[in-house]
Amino acid sequence: MTKLLQWLLGVGLLLGTWACLVWDLVPAQLTPQWKEVVWVAPMYLLMSFACYSLATIGYRVATFNDCEDAAKELQQEIEEARRDLAKKGLKLS
Amino acid sequence: MLEFCGVMGQSLSGQRSPAGEVATLPGSKDHFLATGSDQAVGMCMVALSALIFTYYTVWAVVLPFVDDDHIVHQYFLPRPYAVIIPTVAGVVALSAIGSFFGYVMLQDKMKKKTK
């Protein structure tokens, strides 16, 4: 079974359970408070996923490793290559 | 004389390397943390996501179990908004991305036509 089918199956199961619980298709006795929580559950999961993504991206941006020496060296090499090519008649604008 | 626009169109201001020399990389210490502004932006995103997550968790999961006359309820909008606001925000975000994408595609087509 492909990954897509697995994911769709999982999502389908979750949504099915949610639908059964919210529209009283199953004889489950839920207190009104829990019913409220279940009703919002899919949106809550979506929001948590969005927050997790934002946090991961932010954290990776903050802890990204800059290599300043390598950057300087690269600039120097670019300058050298430029001069070398200019000598050989290639104009870079 | 050949002329072409490279990606390195930005000016390499004032960096003159001595002819023929190449700077050597120091041992293993050429890794630094991201620059200040990058760190600030990253940490702001983390803080923002933590804030949104906490607020939404309290709103969606905790509030139903809190008595109706508790003072906390005045800090939160009525419950249906907990679904409406993220949906509207999602639709707006998706349409912004979609229109940006369409705009870029159109630009590309126009450029190809005039060539």
Side-chain angles (χ1 to χ4, degrees):
Chain A
M1 195 185 280
T2 63
K3 273 291 172 189
L4 178 66
L5 278 180
Q6 280 177 1
W7 275 90
L8 285 178
L9 200 67
V11 169
L13 274 172
L14 282 175
L15 281 182
T17 339
W18 176 79
C20 285
L21 285 174
V22 167
W23 294 325
D24 296 322
L25 302 170
V26 171
Q29 276 118 359
L30 288 173
T31 57
Q33 293 101 339
W34 275 111
K35 200 113 193 254
E36 274 289 333
V37 174
V38 168
W39 183 76
V40 185
M43 185 53 76
Y44 179 70
L45 289 174
L46 210 62
M47 280 288 284
S48 329
F49 174 67
C51 288
Y52 168 73
S53 313
L54 191 64
T56 312
I57 292 174
Y59 182 69
R60 297 262 171 92
V61 165
T63 55
F64 192 76
N65 278 333
D66 267 350
C67 305
E68 252 177 70
D69 287 341
K72 280 199 200 125
E73 199 207 356
L74 189 62
Q75 295 274 52
Q76 288 173 346
E77 286 182 4
I78 290 175
E79 186 63 40
E80 281 182 36
R82 243 190 177 191
R83 276 183 277 141
D84 192 42
L85 287 170
K87 253 189 277 172
K88 298 180 181 165
L90 192 75
K91 214 200 302 177
L92 294 173
S93 55
Chain B
M1 279 251 205
L2 280 176
E3 206 178 278
F4 76 89
C5 276
V7 185
M8 17 195 214
Q10 295 160 341
S11 61
L12 300 168
S13 51
Q15 290 233 343
R16 297 246 156 263
S17 70
E21 271 178 37
V22 177
T24 52
L25 281 175
S28 58
K29 278 203 85 183
D30 59 348
H31 291 285
F32 295 89
L33 284 180
T35 55
S37 70
D38 279 349
Q39 269 185 314
V41 168
M43 281 312 171
C44 276
M45 284 166 78
V46 174
L48 183 70
S49 75
L51 192 71
I52 293 178
F53 179 72
T54 328
Y55 187 83
Y56 198 76
T57 307
V58 173
W59 197 7
V61 178
V62 174
L63 272 191
F65 297 97
V66 170
D67 289 329
D68 277 338
D69 48 5
H70 198 283
I71 201 169
V72 181
H73 282 275
Q74 74 181 17
Y75 292 108
F76 296 93
L77 289 170
R79 203 162 170 76
Y81 284 107
V83 176
I84 292 173
I85 292 181
T87 325
V88 168
V91 167
V92 166
L94 282 176
S95 42
I97 293 173
S99 52
F100 174 73
F101 190 68
Y103 174 73
V104 167
M105 299 278 275
L106 262 174
Q107 292 283 69
D108 202 38
K109 263 195 190 155
M110 301 269 279
K111 269 194 194 158
K112 283 211 173 123
K113 261 193 187 168
T114 57
K115 262 201 175 159

mmCIF file of all heavy atoms in Angstrom, chain B residues 86-106:
data_model
loop_
_atom_site.group_PDB
_atom_site.id
_atom_site.type_symbol
_atom_site.label_atom_id
_atom_site.label_comp_id
_atom_site.label_asym_id
_atom_site.label_seq_id
_atom_site.Cartn_x
_atom_site.Cartn_y
_atom_site.Cartn_z
ATOM 1 N N PRO B 86 -9.702 30.308 12.239
ATOM 2 C CA PRO B 86 -8.654 29.578 11.518
ATOM 3 C C PRO B 86 -9.043 29.253 10.082
ATOM 4 O O PRO B 86 -8.183 29.292 9.190
ATOM 5 C CB PRO B 86 -8.493 28.295 12.337
ATOM 6 C CG PRO B 86 -8.932 28.647 13.685
ATOM 7 C CD PRO B 86 -10.047 29.607 13.489
ATOM 8 N N THR B 87 -10.332 28.940 9.843
ATOM 9 C CA THR B 87 -10.751 28.637 8.475
ATOM 10 C C THR B 87 -10.558 29.839 7.573
ATOM 11 O O THR B 87 -9.994 29.733 6.471
ATOM 12 C CB THR B 87 -12.235 28.234 8.426
ATOM 13 O OG1 THR B 87 -12.558 27.511 9.595
ATOM 14 C CG2 THR B 87 -12.526 27.400 7.212
ATOM 15 N N VAL B 88 -11.018 31.014 8.023
ATOM 16 C CA VAL B 88 -10.869 32.227 7.223
ATOM 17 C C VAL B 88 -9.398 32.532 6.983
ATOM 18 O O VAL B 88 -8.991 32.842 5.863
ATOM 19 C CB VAL B 88 -11.577 33.409 7.925
ATOM 20 C CG1 VAL B 88 -11.185 34.714 7.282
ATOM 21 C CG2 VAL B 88 -13.076 33.226 7.871
ATOM 22 N N ALA B 89 -8.583 32.408 8.058
ATOM 23 C CA ALA B 89 -7.152 32.662 7.905
ATOM 24 C C ALA B 89 -6.535 31.698 6.908
ATOM 25 O O ALA B 89 -5.712 32.090 6.072
ATOM 26 C CB ALA B 89 -6.456 32.531 9.257
ATOM 27 N N GLY B 90 -6.945 30.414 6.964
ATOM 28 C CA GLY B 90 -6.415 29.431 6.025
ATOM 29 C C GLY B 90 -6.793 29.754 4.603
ATOM 30 O O GLY B 90 -5.956 29.687 3.691
ATOM 31 N N VAL B 91 -8.061 30.156 4.395
ATOM 32 C CA VAL B 91 -8.507 30.493 3.041
ATOM 33 C C VAL B 91 -7.739 31.687 2.518
ATOM 34 O O VAL B 91 -7.283 31.707 1.360
ATOM 35 C CB VAL B 91 -10.034 30.753 3.047
ATOM 36 C CG1 VAL B 91 -10.464 31.404 1.759
ATOM 37 C CG2 VAL B 91 -10.783 29.452 3.218
ATOM 38 N N VAL B 92 -7.576 32.699 3.364
ATOM 39 C CA VAL B 92 -6.830 33.898 2.949
ATOM 40 C C VAL B 92 -5.400 33.534 2.590
ATOM 41 O O VAL B 92 -4.869 33.957 1.551
ATOM 42 C CB VAL B 92 -6.874 34.953 4.068
ATOM 43 C CG1 VAL B 92 -5.854 36.042 3.815
ATOM 44 C CG2 VAL B 92 -8.255 35.562 4.162
ATOM 45 N N ALA B 93 -4.763 32.712 3.441
ATOM 46 C CA ALA B 93 -3.374 32.334 3.185
ATOM 47 C C ALA B 93 -3.254 31.564 1.881
ATOM 48 O O ALA B 93 -2.376 31.836 1.053
ATOM 49 C CB ALA B 93 -2.839 31.499 4.347
ATOM 50 N N LEU B 94 -4.164 30.600 1.675
ATOM 51 C CA LEU B 94 -4.092 29.794 0.457
ATOM 52 C C LEU B 94 -4.313 30.639 -0.787
ATOM 53 O O LEU B 94 -3.633 30.474 -1.804
ATOM 54 C CB LEU B 94 -5.115 28.662 0.513
ATOM 55 C CG LEU B 94 -4.712 27.473 1.375
ATOM 56 C CD1 LEU B 94 -5.833 26.464 1.445
ATOM 57 C CD2 LEU B 94 -3.471 26.807 0.811
ATOM 58 N N SER B 95 -5.275 31.581 -0.716
ATOM 59 C CA SER B 95 -5.511 32.414 -1.899
ATOM 60 C C SER B 95 -4.348 33.358 -2.149
ATOM 61 O O SER B 95 -4.014 33.646 -3.305
ATOM 62 C CB SER B 95 -6.820 33.185 -1.782
ATOM 63 O OG SER B 95 -6.975 33.699 -0.505
ATOM 64 N N ALA B 96 -3.690 33.825 -1.074
ATOM 65 C CA ALA B 96 -2.514 34.671 -1.272
ATOM 66 C C ALA B 96 -1.419 33.889 -1.976
ATOM 67 O O ALA B 96 -0.826 34.360 -2.960
ATOM 68 C CB ALA B 96 -2.011 35.199 0.073
ATOM 69 N N ILE B 97 -1.171 32.666 -1.497
ATOM 70 C CA ILE B 97 -0.144 31.840 -2.121
ATOM 71 C C ILE B 97 -0.511 31.544 -3.571
ATOM 72 O O ILE B 97 0.310 31.646 -4.481
ATOM 73 C CB ILE B 97 0.026 30.524 -1.336
ATOM 74 C CG1 ILE B 97 0.606 30.817 0.043
ATOM 75 C CG2 ILE B 97 0.920 29.565 -2.079
ATOM 76 C CD1 ILE B 97 0.653 29.613 0.941
ATOM 77 N N GLY B 98 -1.788 31.195 -3.789
ATOM 78 C CA GLY B 98 -2.229 30.864 -5.134
ATOM 79 C C GLY B 98 -2.111 32.033 -6.082
ATOM 80 O O GLY B 98 -1.657 31.877 -7.223
ATOM 81 N N SER B 99 -2.489 33.222 -5.639
ATOM 82 C CA SER B 99 -2.413 34.379 -6.522
ATOM 83 C C SER B 99 -0.970 34.760 -6.790
ATOM 84 O O SER B 99 -0.616 35.158 -7.901
ATOM 85 C CB SER B 99 -3.190 35.560 -5.957
ATOM 86 O OG SER B 99 -2.805 35.805 -4.645
ATOM 87 N N PHE B 100 -0.099 34.625 -5.756
ATOM 88 C CA PHE B 100 1.323 34.893 -5.998
ATOM 89 C C PHE B 100 1.866 33.949 -7.051
ATOM 90 O O PHE B 100 2.585 34.354 -7.974
ATOM 91 C CB PHE B 100 2.102 34.747 -4.689
ATOM 92 C CG PHE B 100 3.576 34.856 -4.858
ATOM 93 C CD1 PHE B 100 4.166 36.069 -5.125
ATOM 94 C CD2 PHE B 100 4.386 33.736 -4.766
ATOM 95 C CE1 PHE B 100 5.532 36.167 -5.298
ATOM 96 C CE2 PHE B 100 5.754 33.828 -4.935
ATOM 97 C CZ PHE B 100 6.316 35.045 -5.197
ATOM 98 N N PHE B 101 1.507 32.667 -6.904
ATOM 99 C CA PHE B 101 1.949 31.664 -7.852
ATOM 100 C C PHE B 101 1.465 31.989 -9.256
ATOM 101 O O PHE B 101 2.235 31.961 -10.226
ATOM 102 C CB PHE B 101 1.409 30.309 -7.389
ATOM 103 C CG PHE B 101 1.964 29.151 -8.133
ATOM 104 C CD1 PHE B 101 3.291 28.797 -7.996
ATOM 105 C CD2 PHE B 101 1.157 28.390 -8.969
ATOM 106 C CE1 PHE B 101 3.809 27.723 -8.676
ATOM 107 C CE2 PHE B 101 1.669 27.319 -9.643
ATOM 108 C CZ PHE B 101 2.989 26.978 -9.507
ATOM 109 N N GLY B 102 0.149 32.339 -9.370
ATOM 110 C CA GLY B 102 -0.406 32.678 -10.668
ATOM 111 C C GLY B 102 0.254 33.897 -11.271
ATOM 112 O O GLY B 102 0.525 33.941 -12.481
ATOM 113 N N TYR B 103 0.553 34.871 -10.422
ATOM 114 C CA TYR B 103 1.214 36.087 -10.894
ATOM 115 C C TYR B 103 2.571 35.768 -11.488
ATOM 116 O O TYR B 103 2.924 36.249 -12.567
ATOM 117 C CB TYR B 103 1.336 37.060 -9.719
ATOM 118 C CG TYR B 103 2.114 38.302 -10.015
ATOM 119 C CD1 TYR B 103 1.572 39.301 -10.815
ATOM 120 C CD2 TYR B 103 3.391 38.490 -9.498
ATOM 121 C CE1 TYR B 103 2.285 40.452 -11.073
ATOM 122 C CE2 TYR B 103 4.107 39.626 -9.755
ATOM 123 C CZ TYR B 103 3.556 40.612 -10.543
ATOM 124 O OH TYR B 103 4.270 41.738 -10.801
ATOM 125 N N VAL B 104 3.341 34.943 -10.784
ATOM 126 C CA VAL B 104 4.672 34.580 -11.271
ATOM 127 C C VAL B 104 4.581 33.823 -12.585
ATOM 128 O O VAL B 104 5.355 34.057 -13.516
ATOM 129 C CB VAL B 104 5.420 33.757 -10.196
ATOM 130 C CG1 VAL B 104 6.651 33.116 -10.773
ATOM 131 C CG2 VAL B 104 5.785 34.646 -9.036
ATOM 132 N N MET B 105 3.594 32.912 -12.682
ATOM 133 C CA MET B 105 3.424 32.171 -13.931
ATOM 134 C C MET B 105 3.077 33.100 -15.086
ATOM 135 O O MET B 105 3.573 32.947 -16.202
ATOM 136 C CB MET B 105 2.311 31.132 -13.768
ATOM 137 C CG MET B 105 2.591 30.113 -12.712
ATOM 138 S SD MET B 105 3.648 28.805 -13.298
ATOM 139 C CE MET B 105 2.458 27.720 -14.030
ATOM 140 N N LEU B 106 2.199 34.080 -14.801
ATOM 141 C CA LEU B 106 1.808 35.036 -15.847
ATOM 142 C C LEU B 106 3.007 35.833 -16.329
ATOM 143 O O LEU B 106 3.194 36.019 -17.535
ATOM 144 C CB LEU B 106 0.743 35.991 -15.294
ATOM 145 C CG LEU B 106 -0.698 35.628 -15.640
ATOM 146 C CD1 LEU B 106 -1.652 36.550 -14.912
ATOM 147 C CD2 LEU B 106 -0.921 35.709 -17.125
#
